[in-house]
Amino acid sequence: METLSSLKNPKVLSWRSLRDKKGRLEQNAFLVEGVRMVREALSSSFTVNAVLLREGFVPDFVIPDSIRTYLLQEHVFQSVCDTKTPQGIAAVLNLHAKEAAGSRLLALDGVQDPGNVGTIIRTADAAGFDGVLFSPECADLFSPKVLRSTMGSIFRLGFSFPKSLPDALTQLKKDGFSVLSSQLDGDPFYERKDIGSSFVLVIGNEGNGISDEVKAVATHRLCLPMRGGAESLNAAVAAGIMMYDLTR
Amino acid sequence: METLSSLKNPKVLSWRSLRDKKGRLEQNAFLVEGVRMVREALSSSFTVNAVLLREGFVPDFVIPDSIRTYLLQEHVFQSVCDTKTPQGIAAVLNLHAKEAAGSRLLALDGVQDPGNVGTIIRTADAAGFDGVLFSPECADLFSPKVLRSTMGSIFRLGFSFPKSLPDALTQLKKDGFSVLSSQLDGDPFYERKDIGSSFVLVIGNEGNGISDEVKAVATHRLCLPMRGGAESLNAAVAAGIMMYDLTR
């Protein structure tokens, strides 16, 4: 196994640049950190290009011989990780994700906070959703903070990145899907009319909500009740409440 | 109106120390920032001791003559605020909160992330809950980050800080409340038995969940379904899903 001790090693430099979207697109790769993420990556549909180990770290699972493994001195390992206190293992994966498919879909229309995006994906997985569509304005799925917040759910859902979310939703509508827009001026969520068994729930931007183009495509415009004096809910919380009710 | 231009002014020093729990307890006061928070504070049951304005800032609402108002030079105003780009108005409030009362209560059993605590309070308000009980291990309700995350909901709910949460829950149970413990090894949430009209929902620590003492008091131990491969939900998301379903 190759041991890397220099911060200027070309491989180390290339892994470090995976923290930025530019680097990920150039290399068509992304990096996941931590025992759980690497273990799940290895049994997922993603292609694992390399596993990186901090010198002295022994994983409690077997890394297949077919996967190239590198040992990194501690300061070198730290330099490629985004977390402040990395666990000692990371993996470089091919950027290609499984396409969003199935009858229970979620769409993110400009959700920009990485923590929200990751938490929503984690919740979608737990609620039994099949896939997530991203509008181009969303936080990048493959950024370190989003990946971390998914808690591994990135490996279990499908993802699509249409150039135009309204066009993608229009196609789904033609295919028989209900398109549910979550918006503050919508109709009462709990009194919604039948949505059928195939649907896509759209969650909007934290500040501006759903875009007009998406609202125009929607078959249902829905809002959770706001009692007390609260004006809105956190995007990830609202998404969670709706997703769980739709699949209960 | 007094204009304060020195960072060493005793008043300025005392307000700055409200960012820490020690300072808040010593002065029996806390500070809220921003137009919305100050406006809501003025029409709430909290006692407003002072309003602080950045020189040049003109609020779009009337500050009652009875409330002492101070003008602060920009660098002085910045020094008392926790936000990086404050809006130009803040208020110092008496630390006394309205007691948690009513038939729909929430209890936080060691929820430690300030963003989670604030988001949960905001959601409780929107879901129509009446009050929140804090165990001693929770993030401090009056810390800047929690206050900010409540988005003003702190002014609309009641709060209690029992020395022992299990004792407080035991008393509520004697008073006819159902005590619902949200725990990963609980019974299916959507198949719960009748809980009646008075209940307290307990949300546990992000890593360790509900404490054994609280579990022992609970009348219902409940878990949301975990489909896909997700092992758990974010505490604020789980709380939101349960609260909305309990009050729908």
Side-chain angles (χ1 to χ4, degrees):
Chain A
M1 209 182 312
E2 199 175 340
T3 302
L4 305 177
S5 55
S6 165
L7 293 173
K8 293 181 181 165
N9 178 296
K11 284 203 185 72
V12 172
L13 289 172
S14 75
W15 296 328
R16 196 180 308 153
S17 71
L18 296 177
R19 282 194 278 193
D20 299 315
K21 185 163 188 174
K22 184 167 167 282
R24 293 194 289 274
L25 289 177
E26 279 171 3
Q27 299 179 54
N28 194 36
F30 69 105
L31 186 141
V32 298
E33 303 177 29
V35 174
R36 181 175 170 176
M37 288 295 271
V38 175
R39 191 175 49 215
E40 297 209 22
L42 288 168
S43 60
S44 76
S45 65
F46 283 82
T47 303
V48 179
N49 298 327
V51 168
L52 319 183
L53 293 171
R54 187 178 59 213
E55 242 182 355
F57 182 86
V58 181
D60 59 356
F61 55 92
V62 177
I63 299 164
D65 287 341
S66 60
I67 291 174
R68 188 102 187 228
T69 304
Y70 298 87
L71 268 187
L72 282 66
Q73 288 193 349
E74 181 159 357
H75 69 290
V76 180
F77 187 79
Q78 178 73 61
S79 80
V80 303
C81 287
D82 186 69
T83 38
K84 280 180 191 159
T85 52
Q87 283 186 312
I89 188 165
V92 179
L93 278 61
N94 201 305
L95 201 54
H96 183 76
K98 194 173 60 177
E99 275 283 302
S103 59
R104 293 165 166 188
L105 299 178
L106 188 73
L108 305 183
D109 185 17
V111 180
Q112 291 188 323
D113 179 81
N116 276 345
V117 171
T119 301
I120 290 172
I121 291 168
R122 175 183 176 191
T123 312
D125 182 24
F129 274 59
D130 302 306
V132 186
L133 286 76
F134 277 63
S135 81
E137 301 78 19
C138 290
D140 186 17
L141 173 61
F142 302 101
S143 70
K145 179 129 196 240
V146 171
L147 291 171
R148 210 154 48 232
S149 305
T150 70
M151 302 281 276
S153 291
I154 184 178
F155 299 121
R156 294 184 288 266
L157 295 173
F159 299 94
S160 296
F161 306 92
K163 279 182 192 159
S164 159
L165 183 60
D167 287 356
L169 295 172
T170 302
Q171 185 58 51
L172 284 169
K173 196 160 75 169
K174 280 185 194 157
D175 295 343
F177 277 70
S178 292
V179 178
L180 318 183
S181 164
S182 160
Q183 55 188 77
L184 287 173
D185 58 350
D187 301 317
F189 178 74
Y190 293 112
E191 295 162 33
R192 63 188 180 269
K193 293 189 187 121
D194 184 40
I195 55 158
S197 59
S198 295
F199 55 82
V200 51
L201 170 67
V202 193
I203 302 297
N205 171 270
E206 291 86 349
N208 303 321
I210 301 274
S211 62
D212 290 341
E213 294 79 1
V214 167
K215 284 182 183 172
V217 180
T219 58
H220 299 64
R221 297 169 192 84
L222 301 171
C223 181
L224 286 166
M226 292 291 146
R227 306 186 186 94
E231 289 176 10
S232 66
L233 291 168
N234 169 279
V237 172
I241 296 168
M242 290 189 170
M243 286 192 284
Y244 259 85
D245 196 70
L246 288 167
T247 57
R248 58 176 290 185
Chain B
M1 207 183 311
E2 199 175 341
T3 302
L4 305 177
S5 57
S6 165
L7 292 173
K8 292 180 181 166
N9 178 295
K11 283 202 184 72
V12 172
L13 290 172
S14 76
W15 295 329
R16 197 180 307 154
S17 70
L18 296 177
R19 283 195 278 192
D20 299 316
K21 185 163 187 173
K22 185 167 168 282
R24 293 193 290 273
L25 289 177
E26 278 171 5
Q27 299 179 55
N28 194 37
F30 69 105
L31 186 139
V32 297
E33 303 177 29
V35 173
R36 182 175 169 175
M37 288 295 271
V38 175
R39 191 175 49 214
E40 297 209 24
L42 288 168
S43 59
S44 76
S45 64
F46 283 82
T47 304
V48 179
N49 299 328
V51 168
L52 319 183
L53 293 171
R54 187 179 59 213
E55 239 182 356
F57 182 86
V58 181
D60 59 355
F61 56 90
V62 177
I63 299 163
D65 287 341
S66 59
I67 291 175
R68 188 103 187 228
T69 304
Y70 299 87
L71 268 187
L72 282 68
Q73 287 193 349
E74 181 160 355
H75 69 290
V76 180
F77 186 79
Q78 178 73 60
S79 80
V80 303
C81 287
D82 186 68
T83 39
K84 279 178 192 160
T85 51
Q87 284 184 312
I89 188 165
V92 179
L93 278 63
N94 201 305
L95 201 55
H96 183 76
K98 192 173 62 175
E99 274 283 303
S103 59
R104 294 165 166 188
L105 299 178
L106 189 74
L108 305 183
D109 185 18
V111 179
Q112 291 188 324
D113 179 81
N116 276 345
V117 170
T119 301
I120 290 172
I121 291 169
R122 175 183 174 191
T123 311
D125 182 23
F129 273 60
D130 302 307
V132 186
L133 287 77
F134 278 62
S135 81
E137 301 79 19
C138 289
D140 186 18
L141 172 61
F142 302 102
S143 71
K145 178 129 198 238
V146 171
L147 291 170
R148 209 153 50 230
S149 305
T150 69
M151 301 281 277
S153 291
I154 183 177
F155 299 121
R156 294 184 287 266
L157 295 174
F159 298 94
S160 295
F161 306 92
K163 277 183 194 159
S164 158
L165 182 61
D167 287 356
L169 294 173
T170 302
Q171 184 58 50
L172 283 169
K173 195 160 76 169
K174 279 185 195 156
D175 295 343
F177 277 70
S178 291
V179 178
L180 319 183
S181 165
S182 160
Q183 55 190 76
L184 288 173
D185 59 349
D187 300 319
F189 178 74
Y190 293 111
E191 296 162 33
R192 63 188 180 269
K193 293 190 189 121
D194 185 41
I195 56 159
S197 59
S198 295
F199 54 83
V200 52
L201 170 66
V202 192
I203 303 297
N205 173 270
E206 289 88 347
N208 303 322
I210 301 274
S211 61
D212 289 342
E213 294 79 2
V214 166
K215 284 182 184 172
V217 179
T219 59
H220 299 66
R221 297 168 192 84
L222 301 171
C223 181
L224 286 166
M226 293 290 147
R227 306 185 187 95
E231 289 177 9
S232 66
L233 291 168
N234 167 279
V237 171
I241 296 168
M242 291 189 170
M243 286 193 283
Y244 260 85
D245 196 70
L246 288 166
T247 58
R248 57 175 292 184

